[in-house]
Amino acid sequence: MRRSRRSANRRIPLAPARPIVRPSRPPAGASPAPAPLDTPATAPETPAAAPSTALAEEGRVGQVLKTTAEFLPPVTVATALLFYFGWARSEVQAQELGIDTTSLDMSVQEYMMRSISSLYLPLGVGAAVLLAGIHLHHRTVTMAAVQERRPRLRVWARLLSSGWLVVPLAALLVEWAVPQLHDLVFPLGVALGVLLTTYAARLRALLAREDGRPRAAAPSSALHTALVGVMVVVALFWEVSAYAGVVGRGLADRVAGNLGNRISVTIYSPKDLQIHAPGVKVTAFDGENSAYGFCYTGLRLLQRSGGKYFLLPDGWTPADRKVIAIADDAALRVEFGRAAPGVPAHC
């Protein structure tokens, strides 16, 4: 048994030794073998480039606009300007025609709707100025990133810093040279001067940061921004008031000069309304079957508001400023037409 086991053990062949294979070098010009999947190659970390201070100024201006919008919401300011303009325009027009705007009893919506037609030109010009300002600011920020152009920007910053004084004085000189522009240019000069001075402070701070010079930063607190916004809004309301006066007087002159082209009004009443005005004709009806006893012609519609018709007689003159107010009553019958100038309507 021992011999058989030994012989069996001798018959089992031994495993051959595994040869050692050395890695061969790649031939010249060949690309290196890719790294194994379980050991990814990591690239050396490189520090991220810091953003340019000039380009970051775009974000700062956006933050300033956001802060201003929080204190002075654009929709609220626009609504207030529309209402104030409509009220001021109606006030001047009513006084020129001989009445007070409180007797018109107009609503906020009516004031705003009457102001839109007269604000197309100012709103268009204002939008164009804002677009031009945004474009110039973008060019200024781009120029500030170039060192060779910074001296020119410093000169402009020094000139703009005195805008709060120079621009209003120039506006006063324009009004003195052209009296028709009284109170129309100076408020805009105040608003523009304050904005230019504020922008000059921010431009100087931007140039100092680009040069790496320690310098006091431009005032960017919420309180400073709010105060600048309040000054600009007050100047805009001042400008709107002056412009509304011009528009109101122009509309009153247009009404007086083209009275015959306005809508004619004929009123039928069961009782005598005692309307006595130049150019108004009264016709009395006889008969028991007539629903109305009196008819009034020679009236022109000024407007309807507050549940009343405000009428002008055909003989209205600036010397005799008479406006007739008739309540919108179910007992009256009011007819509207297009009577030719100088030809009164018939009952």
Side-chain angles (χ1 to χ4, degrees):
M1 294 296 292
R2 293 181 178 177
R3 293 180 178 178
S4 61
R5 290 179 179 176
R6 290 178 179 177
S7 60
N9 292 336
R10 291 175 180 175
R11 294 175 182 176
I12 298 175
L14 298 177
R18 184 175 298 176
I20 300 175
V21 181
R22 297 180 180 274
S24 59
R25 295 182 180 179
S31 58
L37 298 178
D38 55 347
T39 57
T42 56
E45 296 183 356
T46 56
S52 175
T53 307
L55 298 180
E57 184 67 14
E58 296 277 1
R60 295 190 183 93
V61 172
Q63 184 65 29
V64 170
L65 294 177
K66 180 180 178 181
T67 306
T68 306
E70 292 177 356
F71 280 89
L72 301 169
V75 176
T76 304
V77 174
T79 303
L81 286 174
L82 287 175
F83 168 74
Y84 182 72
F85 177 82
W87 174 84
R89 193 212 75 169
S90 300
E91 174 72 16
V92 174
Q93 180 182 1
Q95 289 180 356
E96 292 291 326
L97 294 175
I99 56 177
D100 188 78
T101 186
T102 56
S103 60
L104 299 175
D105 196 17
M106 297 171 59
S107 63
V108 176
Q109 183 179 2
E110 288 177 325
Y111 281 124
M112 293 179 62
M113 293 300 294
R114 291 176 182 272
S115 64
I116 293 177
S117 61
S118 303
L119 289 177
Y120 287 141
L121 180 61
L123 291 178
V125 173
V129 171
L130 287 177
L131 289 176
I134 293 174
H135 177 70
L136 290 176
H137 171 70
H138 179 72
R139 287 182 58 87
T140 301
V141 171
T142 305
M143 291 175 62
V146 182
Q147 186 176 3
E148 291 77 8
R149 298 187 177 183
R150 293 173 195 167
R152 183 184 302 177
L153 292 179
R154 292 190 188 93
V155 174
W156 279 107
R158 284 193 293 268
L159 293 176
L160 295 178
S161 61
S162 59
W164 65 273
L165 179 62
V166 175
V167 178
L169 289 178
L172 286 177
L173 291 177
V174 171
E175 290 186 355
W176 175 77
V178 185
Q180 293 81 2
L181 299 179
H182 180 66
D183 283 344
L184 289 176
V185 183
F186 183 71
L188 291 179
V190 172
L192 183 59
V194 171
L195 291 177
L196 290 179
T197 301
T198 304
Y199 187 77
R202 295 193 175 278
L203 181 58
R204 289 198 303 269
L206 170 63
L207 295 175
R209 288 193 298 268
E210 284 290 334
D211 294 337
R213 294 182 287 106
R215 185 169 182 172
S220 59
S221 64
L223 179 59
H224 178 270
T225 303
L227 291 177
V228 171
V230 168
M231 292 186 64
V232 173
V233 170
V234 169
L236 289 179
F237 271 93
W238 186 0
E239 174 66 24
V240 164
S241 178
Y243 182 70
V246 174
V247 174
R249 283 187 289 271
L251 291 175
D253 295 339
R254 187 183 304 175
V255 170
N258 300 278
L259 188 59
N261 294 326
R262 301 189 70 84
I263 296 176
S264 63
V265 179
T266 302
I267 300 176
Y268 293 87
S269 173
K271 299 180 180 180
D272 190 2
L273 297 178
Q274 302 294 328
I275 299 178
H276 304 287
V280 178
K281 180 181 179 182
V282 183
T283 303
F285 300 115
D286 296 330
E288 298 179 356
N289 296 328
S290 178
Y292 302 100
F294 299 89
C295 175
Y296 301 88
T297 58
L299 299 169
R300 301 287 174 172
L301 179 64
L302 178 60
Q303 71 180 58
R304 184 193 180 279
S305 60
K308 298 178 182 179
Y309 293 101
F310 292 90
L311 310 173
L312 296 176
D314 278 344
W316 185 93
T317 59
D320 184 17
R321 303 179 183 183
K322 180 174 290 188
V323 179
I324 302 168
I326 300 294
D328 190 1
D329 192 352
L332 303 178
R333 193 179 84 188
V334 182
E335 294 182 354
F336 304 96
R338 280 289 185 183
V343 180
H346 298 281
C347 296

